[in-house]
Amino acid sequence: MASSMNSLEAIQKKIDAVKLFLSVSLSIANAHTVDFYTCDVWDQFMAVPPVDVLTEITLNGDHKRTPEHYLNHGNAEKITFGFCDDSKRLVDVAELLEAAYAHSLPGLGVCVGRTELLQSLRHTDNAQPLEEVPSAVVESDEFMNSKKSHEVQAMSEVVASLAQRCRVKQVIDVGSGKGYLCSFLSLRYGLQVYGIDSSSSNTHGAQERNRKLKKYSRAYQRHSKANRTLTVMLPSGQEDLEDIAPGEREREDMVKMSGDAEKEEGRRDGEAQTNTTGLTDRNEEDAMTSLTSAILLEDNSLPELDQSDPASAPEDPFLSALCVGMVEPTSPRGPPSELSLEERERRKRENLERKARSWVNSGGMGSGMLYSPLTSYVTAETELKEIIGELEDAVMVGLHTCGDLAPSTLRMFVAKRELLSVCSVGCCYHLLSEEFDPTRQECPSSSVCGFPLSGYLREQSWFCGRNARMSACLALERVAKGQGIQMESLFYRAVLHVILKDHYSSFKSEKRVGNVYSKATSFVDYVWRALRRLELDESKLSDGVIQGYHDTYRPRMVEMEAFNMLKVTLAPCIEGLILLDRLCFLKEQEDVEFSTLVQLFDPLLSPRCYGVVGVKAPGTELSE
């Protein structure tokens, strides 16, 4: 399964090429949008008119030079990637766009397609035919919107193929969130799935949900016994199913240390598939636009879930519609290192008792139909046996695992001999901790950082910077289709910063402006709301003064638009370096037989579409 094109040495060369490009262009991604006017960012980095930038980006479509083009020309002439060597300002937009594509994952040619990966996994000596469980099949789009259904179906087939290749029946989903992937793997492929997440699920209204679950379960079982088709028959009480979906829709926050839902791509899209699909799609686009603006503002205004309050966790329509006995109740769990020996033993007994009850309630249908959600904080040092009492050889997965959880998943895969393969899709790059970031904001000296992961990049002490990692979260494909950037809100925030600098000496405030724009009716109203949020003296300004700032900077809004489009263009290169680092880490491990990057999803539906896949050699034994 290994290919010389994606050998360790080849991946290291790809990393070198991306690093060379980013060493010149990363300053654009690290620039603060909030400081755009106060620091005169455009003149600092650009030697071309903003209209030229926007025109070139609009016409851009055939920039297909390879990284070798730039490396081969390095000896003959100085590589600039469109930047002047002396002034460090951009002088050639077309060359920058060409270089950006060449140093993205598609331009590097380092990824395999999902179909190609599936064929490779199935055409090996160890592989067995992929089998589904006809009596337990449900269609994912009955309980998920189109985005989540696309992700779950695409990834579950890869995970099931990995399990078949490694001859295992257990799957461990780290950062399992609401359990969409876990449930689908269990129901469709008969796998025993353990979903581990750091946040307790919401138990409010459990009795009402159980009543609906029992009714749905009886109808489902009657239909399955009657004709064994792949379509799940709805119960006669149609209204009971309807008030499961619309009334208990998922409303997760964008950023949370758990996966499954893609945090930076519009968390608030968990509505069940109904006849209001058009409205749901518009809501998802609006959420994506707001998120992109927050990323570009870099003001930490992204909301976070209060994990200490179980009532803050929303209910989930997909899990609510599954049969009783297929989903086990969760119990709050903390980091294993903080538990006493007595507490660890108690929780092991609790796990075993719950599994035994589940076996009885399911009629002895076997572990293949079992999904066990567990609540625990997981790191690379976590002992899985302390969480899963019946741990066997398994596949480890993570669907949109947030921040450091994605590299921790890969570290666990390497360190634990029970884990024979891994499929990890990360997200929330802005929450990654960086070992060599001079500010050291996210990575305490005593902890293990999320980036860089590979020994190759660690030897070079490479770091991206937080603003660059924020830029990596941007979705180029969506922005290219006219989605994603709410430019007026960015403009308002940058001009507000000018006002704060001119009229308030302490304009650097620990307080956040937050989402004031969505409530404001005009720029003047926006500024007044922001001043109240920051608790600043409003008597220093008037409506006329505020409007004057708006009128002065409004003609320069095109500069901000052009600059942010360049940030979006660089996003795939920064994401590519992060993912190449993770792939390099796996290729550095002697016991990992096969590793690759794979494009799992359509980037328009799911912008964080790349997965890191690894498979250990048969008979691997690791010392613990």
Side-chain angles (χ1 to χ4, degrees):
M1 293 171 65
S3 170
S4 60
M5 293 181 62
N6 288 330
S7 64
L8 175 60
E9 294 74 16
I11 296 302
Q12 289 174 344
K13 288 182 179 179
K14 305 285 188 184
I15 288 175
D16 289 340
V18 179
K19 278 179 49 199
L20 180 62
F21 171 65
L22 290 179
S23 67
V24 176
S25 61
L26 198 62
S27 56
I28 291 179
N30 269 319
H32 285 269
T33 303
V34 170
D35 295 328
F36 192 79
Y37 298 121
T38 57
C39 296
D40 207 2
V41 169
W42 183 263
D43 286 339
Q44 181 182 349
F45 293 104
M46 302 292 149
V48 292
V51 174
D52 290 0
V53 173
L54 293 174
T55 300
E56 190 63 42
I57 290 175
T58 301
L59 297 176
N60 177 37
D62 297 314
H63 301 303
K64 304 296 185 183
R65 293 182 184 176
T66 65
E68 287 73 18
H69 165 86
Y70 301 97
L71 292 176
N72 293 338
H73 283 73
N75 296 328
E77 57 185 2
K78 195 70 174 178
I79 300 173
T80 65
F81 302 116
F83 288 85
C84 174
D85 297 327
D86 295 328
S87 67
K88 310 301 181 185
R89 299 168 75 199
L90 181 66
V91 296
D92 189 333
V93 181
E95 185 172 350
L96 175 62
L97 297 180
E98 291 173 3
Y101 175 81
H103 296 92
S104 65
L105 290 180
L108 291 167
V110 71
C111 287
V112 301
R114 192 178 72 94
T115 301
E116 181 183 350
L117 175 65
L118 290 172
Q119 291 174 348
S120 298
L121 292 174
R122 292 167 184 171
H123 293 118
T124 58
D125 294 337
N126 287 344
Q128 297 177 341
L130 187 62
E131 297 179 358
E132 297 182 355
V133 182
S135 62
V137 169
V138 293
E139 296 301 326
S140 63
D141 56 5
E142 293 183 26
F143 303 103
M144 292 173 271
N145 66 9
S146 58
K147 174 179 178 291
K148 182 56 62 180
S149 174
H150 170 67
E151 294 167 350
V152 167
Q153 290 196 67
M155 189 165 180
S156 64
E157 189 175 6
V158 171
V159 173
S161 296
L162 287 170
Q164 290 282 0
R165 185 201 180 281
C166 297
R167 299 177 181 270
V168 301
K169 296 295 289 183
Q170 278 193 3
V171 174
I172 301 172
D173 185 358
V174 178
S176 55
K178 292 296 173 182
Y180 294 105
L181 179 63
C182 297
S183 302
F184 200 75
L185 285 168
S186 175
L187 288 169
R188 170 151 289 186
Y189 296 106
L191 295 168
Q192 183 179 21
V193 186
Y194 295 92
I196 305 175
D197 195 87
S198 63
S199 178
S200 298
S201 63
N202 184 12
T203 56
H204 179 68
Q207 288 183 338
E208 182 64 15
R209 289 201 304 278
N210 283 337
R211 180 186 67 82
K212 296 171 184 176
L213 283 169
K214 290 177 181 178
K215 180 177 288 188
Y216 183 85
S217 177
R218 288 194 296 268
Y220 173 76
Q221 290 170 358
R222 285 197 304 269
H223 181 70
S224 297
K225 292 177 180 179
N227 51 29
R228 300 293 184 186
T229 66
L230 297 182
T231 303
V232 180
M233 182 171 63
L234 296 175
S236 56
Q238 180 72 26
E239 68 282 354
D240 287 311
L241 275 185
E242 290 176 348
D243 61 6
I244 287 180
E248 299 176 9
R249 289 173 177 145
E250 175 185 29
R251 291 293 183 186
E252 283 194 352
D253 290 280
M254 293 180 189
V255 178
K256 179 168 72 79
M257 280 302 293
S258 61
D260 204 22
E262 183 171 1
K263 287 79 178 177
E264 76 275 38
E265 299 304 335
R267 272 288 187 82
R268 305 176 186 209
D269 62 352
E271 297 190 0
Q273 201 76 327
T274 67
N275 57 358
T276 60
T277 300
L279 180 60
T280 301
D281 291 341
R282 287 196 298 274
N283 290 340
E284 183 175 326
E285 290 180 13
D286 292 342
M288 180 59 198
T289 299
S290 300
L291 175 60
T292 303
S293 300
I295 290 170
L296 290 171
L297 283 172
E298 300 131 7
D299 67 349
N300 292 332
S301 62
L302 299 180
E304 295 190 19
L305 187 67
D306 181 5
Q307 297 186 8
S308 64
D309 181 13
S312 69
E315 297 179 359
D316 172 64
F318 181 54
L319 292 186
S320 298
L322 297 179
C323 301
V324 176
M326 290 186 180
V327 180
E328 298 179 340
T330 61
S331 59
R333 296 176 184 270
S337 59
E338 298 179 5
L339 302 178
S340 65
L341 186 60
E342 181 180 280
E343 178 66 9
R344 292 181 186 181
E345 291 300 323
R346 187 190 69 79
R347 291 187 175 186
K348 286 181 182 179
R349 290 196 305 272
E350 179 187 90
N351 271 339
L352 292 173
E353 289 171 358
R354 287 192 289 115
K355 291 176 180 58
R357 287 197 302 270
S358 180
W359 175 276
V360 174
N361 293 337
S362 63
M365 60 185 170
S367 61
M369 295 297 291
L370 180 64
Y371 161 41
S372 304
L374 302 169
T375 305
S376 180
Y377 182 80
V378 177
T379 68
E381 291 74 36
T382 298
E383 287 296 337
L384 294 175
K385 290 182 179 179
E386 296 180 359
I387 303 174
I388 304 171
E390 298 176 337
L391 180 65
E392 301 173 358
D393 289 347
V395 177
M396 173 160 279
V397 302
L399 175 54
H400 293 137
T401 45
C402 188
D404 283 348
L405 187 56
S408 290
T409 299
L410 298 179
R411 285 191 174 107
M412 272 192 283
F413 163 66
V414 169
K416 311 300 181 185
R417 64 186 177 196
E418 298 90 357
L419 303 178
L420 302 188
S421 61
V422 66
C423 182
S424 171
V425 181
C427 68
C428 300
Y429 302 127
H430 61 295
L431 295 180
L432 271 176
S433 58
E434 291 199 76
E435 182 176 357
F436 302 105
D437 188 343
T439 63
R440 302 283 286 183
Q441 292 177 348
E442 295 93 356
C443 185
S445 57
S446 60
S447 66
V448 178
C449 295
F451 182 84
L453 185 62
S454 67
Y456 186 68
L457 270 183
R458 294 188 69 222
E459 289 174 357
Q460 302 173 55
S461 302
W462 179 268
F463 72 95
C464 293
R466 187 176 189 276
N467 290 334
R469 287 183 281 108
M470 289 282 288
S471 297
C473 296
L474 297 169
L476 174 61
E477 290 80 9
R478 284 187 171 180
V479 173
K481 294 293 184 180
Q483 307 173 27
I485 297 185
Q486 199 172 55
M487 197 56 60
E488 189 177 61
S489 67
L490 304 177
F491 172 72
Y492 278 16
R493 184 62 183 88
V495 178
L496 172 66
H497 209 56
V498 177
I499 294 175
L500 295 177
K501 183 178 181 180
D502 289 351
H503 294 273
Y504 301 90
S505 58
S506 58
F507 68 95
K508 291 282 188 180
S509 173
E510 291 184 0
K511 294 183 175 64
R512 302 291 179 183
V513 174
N515 190 22
V516 173
Y517 174 80
S518 64
K519 303 174 183 178
T521 58
S522 65
F523 178 71
V524 173
D525 184 38
Y526 172 87
V527 172
W528 289 129
R529 288 175 180 272
L531 293 178
R532 288 192 289 271
R533 176 72 63 86
L534 298 173
E535 299 179 356
L536 294 175
D537 184 4
E538 300 177 36
S539 65
K540 293 184 177 183
L541 298 173
S542 65
D543 287 357
V545 171
I546 295 172
Q547 187 62 40
Y549 276 95
H550 177 275
D551 296 343
T552 297
Y553 285 95
R554 183 63 180 80
R556 296 182 58 187
M557 186 174 172
V558 66
E559 296 176 359
M560 176 174 286
E561 181 181 358
F563 193 83
N564 283 325
M565 287 302 296
L566 290 178
K567 275 194 169 188
V568 173
T569 301
L570 296 175
C573 308
I574 304 167
E575 178 183 33
L577 182 64
I578 293 171
L579 295 179
L580 285 171
D581 171 60
R582 295 174 183 178
L583 177 60
C584 186
F585 170 74
L586 291 185
K587 291 192 177 294
E588 290 171 345
Q589 315 304 318
E590 293 183 358
D591 60 294
V592 176
E593 176 187 55
F594 170 76
S595 56
T596 191
L597 289 176
V598 56
Q599 181 175 333
L600 290 170
F601 314 131
D602 179 348
L604 277 174
L605 284 174
S606 182
R608 301 284 79 78
C609 61
Y610 296 106
V612 182
V613 173
V615 179
K616 288 178 182 174
T620 296
E621 291 290 337
L622 297 178
S623 58
E624 295 185 316

